[in-house]
Amino acid sequence: MRAVEPSPFLQSYRRLACSLRVCGPPLPCPRWTQHPGTSTPMATSLRTPAFPSCSSASTDTDDEGVRGTCEDASMCKRFAVSLGYWHDPYIQHFVRLSKERKAPEINRGYFARVHGVSQLIKAFLRKTECHCQIINLGAGMDTTFWRLKDEDLLPRKYFEVDFPVIVTRKLHSIKLPTLLITECVLVYMTPEQSANLLKWAASSFDTAMFINYEQVNMDDRFGQIMIENLRRRQCDLAGVQTCKSLESQKERLLSNGWETASAVDMMELYSKLPQAEVSRIESLEFLDEMELLEQLMQHYCLCWATKGGHELGLKEITY
């Protein structure tokens, strides 16, 4: 039987796949750092996590492919910023400007991602009047701290975790409202590991919110091609089975101790962006494959969950 040739649409996706940001930093060797200007000293040597870590057999070589995507994502963000998709004067200090032009689908995808996560962060900060802390898991080269500082929206404490497998005795004792952020991090954990992380977070903080950005709708043909492309790059999505749908994403949060859970795919989020901003970024460069953008956006989602904070109105936060 003659093999069926992939459609031009799927071929286009393969060309773009290598530019797409799909993870945070690698999982082993947990360490965390606090930014200067927020209270309490930097912690560097801390107790064993309260949830199971990755296998001790994991090596730097095992995670090399995953680690490389941190640089990929940072370069994609730097390129989009250079075109004017959003303002970020700090990313230039962390990553060089790529000579390779990124596709419009990638730039718009990053714009939606940065805008969506940023809006939810700011909503939480305003609800808590910044009397809170932020823990950014798998932060990579993220510049959120400095951008929040420019807008006078710094929380009392801001932590960036280099590797997501970390729990500390000190964090257990923190009682302020806490925001935890993961962007393409949980998908690289097994479902059991991500469930343990979510349970730990829900049980450790009385008043908290969890923001998660990662893949969704991965059971269809487009999702399978994404998985195949990542495997070729030695990036195995250990937690992909929890990325079947928006409902499965919400169910994971609700079944692990969170009181409310919401999720939207990035195409829906993109449609709700301020029209003036959408018109501005769409005028920056021509996009001739709108269908590809829609497919990409429909396979990523933004999820958020809350616990406690009823007097603050945390459960009212939406996008």
Side-chain angles (χ1 to χ4, degrees):
M1 180 181 295
R2 187 173 62 88
V4 177
E5 288 295 319
S7 68
F9 170 64
L10 294 179
Q11 290 175 333
S12 296
Y13 172 75
R14 291 194 177 104
R15 292 196 302 269
L16 293 170
C18 289
S19 299
L20 200 58
R21 162 66 165 154
V22 291
C23 73
L27 303 183
C29 306
R31 182 170 298 164
W32 65 303
T33 304
Q34 183 183 2
H35 279 282
T38 53
S39 59
T40 74
M42 178 173 65
T44 55
S45 181
L46 303 164
R47 204 172 70 173
T48 303
F51 57 89
S53 64
C54 291
S55 168
S56 59
S58 179
T59 66
D60 286 350
T61 301
D62 294 333
D63 295 303
E64 186 175 350
V66 177
R67 187 180 295 108
T69 62
C70 177
E71 181 71 4
D72 293 346
S74 300
M75 292 179 69
C76 286
K77 288 182 178 179
R78 175 77 193 275
F79 186 83
V81 167
S82 74
L83 291 182
Y85 276 79
W86 69 91
H87 181 64
D88 184 349
Y90 303 105
I91 196 168
Q92 61 182 317
H93 300 296
F94 298 97
V95 63
R96 71 185 188 279
L97 182 60
S98 173
K99 295 180 180 179
E100 178 186 358
R101 187 175 185 86
K102 307 301 180 184
E105 293 87 351
I106 300 299
N107 296 327
R108 293 187 190 181
Y110 273 97
F111 172 77
R113 169 181 172 174
V114 170
H115 194 284
V117 172
S118 178
Q119 288 299 103
L120 289 176
I121 291 173
K122 292 175 185 178
F124 180 88
L125 289 169
R126 290 178 178 123
K127 288 288 187 181
T128 62
E129 298 180 340
C130 293
H131 297 305
C132 62
Q133 63 183 349
I134 290 178
I135 303 171
N136 191 340
L137 305 179
M141 300 295 116
D142 186 71
T143 60
T144 300
F145 171 84
W146 293 278
R147 288 185 284 118
L148 290 175
K149 186 176 182 180
D150 283 350
E151 296 185 49
D152 198 25
L153 280 175
L154 275 185
R156 288 191 174 182
K157 300 175 184 177
Y158 192 106
F159 298 97
E160 287 192 350
V161 182
D162 295 331
F163 308 131
V165 184
I166 181 168
V167 178
T168 71
R169 179 174 60 185
K170 185 174 184 179
L171 288 182
H172 275 291
S173 65
I174 294 174
K175 303 299 181 182
L176 293 166
T178 301
L179 173 62
L180 299 100
I181 306 166
T182 58
E183 295 186 53
C184 293
V185 172
L186 300 186
V187 72
Y188 282 93
M189 299 179 178
T190 65
E192 293 76 17
Q193 289 169 335
S194 64
N196 285 328
L197 172 60
L198 292 170
K199 286 176 184 176
W200 164 80
S203 63
S204 297
F205 307 108
D206 293 330
T207 303
M209 180 172 171
F210 198 103
I211 299 174
N212 180 41
Y213 169 90
E214 67 180 1
Q215 292 87 341
V216 73
N217 299 324
M218 296 297 282
D219 273 354
D220 65 15
R221 178 58 182 154
F222 194 89
Q224 291 304 304
I225 291 175
M226 291 173 67
I227 293 171
E228 291 165 10
N229 275 281
L230 290 168
R231 282 177 179 162
R232 291 192 191 101
R233 301 176 64 196
Q234 298 182 327
C235 293
D236 189 31
L237 303 183
V240 73
Q241 71 183 71
T242 59
C243 303
K244 292 181 178 180
S245 66
L246 295 177
E247 287 304 314
S248 66
Q249 288 281 8
K250 290 189 290 185
E251 176 58 29
R252 174 171 59 174
L253 293 164
L254 294 173
S255 64
N256 286 298
W258 294 87
E259 296 171 359
T260 70
S262 303
V264 295
D265 68 50
M266 296 307 292
M267 196 62 227
E268 179 181 350
L269 188 149
Y270 190 83
S271 70
K272 294 180 179 178
L273 294 174
Q275 190 55 49
E277 275 292 273
V278 172
S279 297
R280 183 184 68 82
I281 66 127
E282 290 185 349
S283 69
L284 293 174
E285 52 185 342
F286 177 69
L287 172 64
D288 62 352
E289 291 190 35
M290 189 63 187
E291 182 186 5
L292 180 55
L293 173 65
E294 291 175 355
Q295 286 286 327
L296 287 171
M297 295 282 208
Q298 287 166 359
H299 285 79
Y300 284 85
C301 67
L302 188 60
C303 315
W304 62 100
T306 66
K307 180 193 173 190
H310 303 297
E311 72 285 358
L312 298 172
L314 293 188
K315 67 179 182 179
E316 300 167 9
I317 292 178
T318 187
Y319 194 84

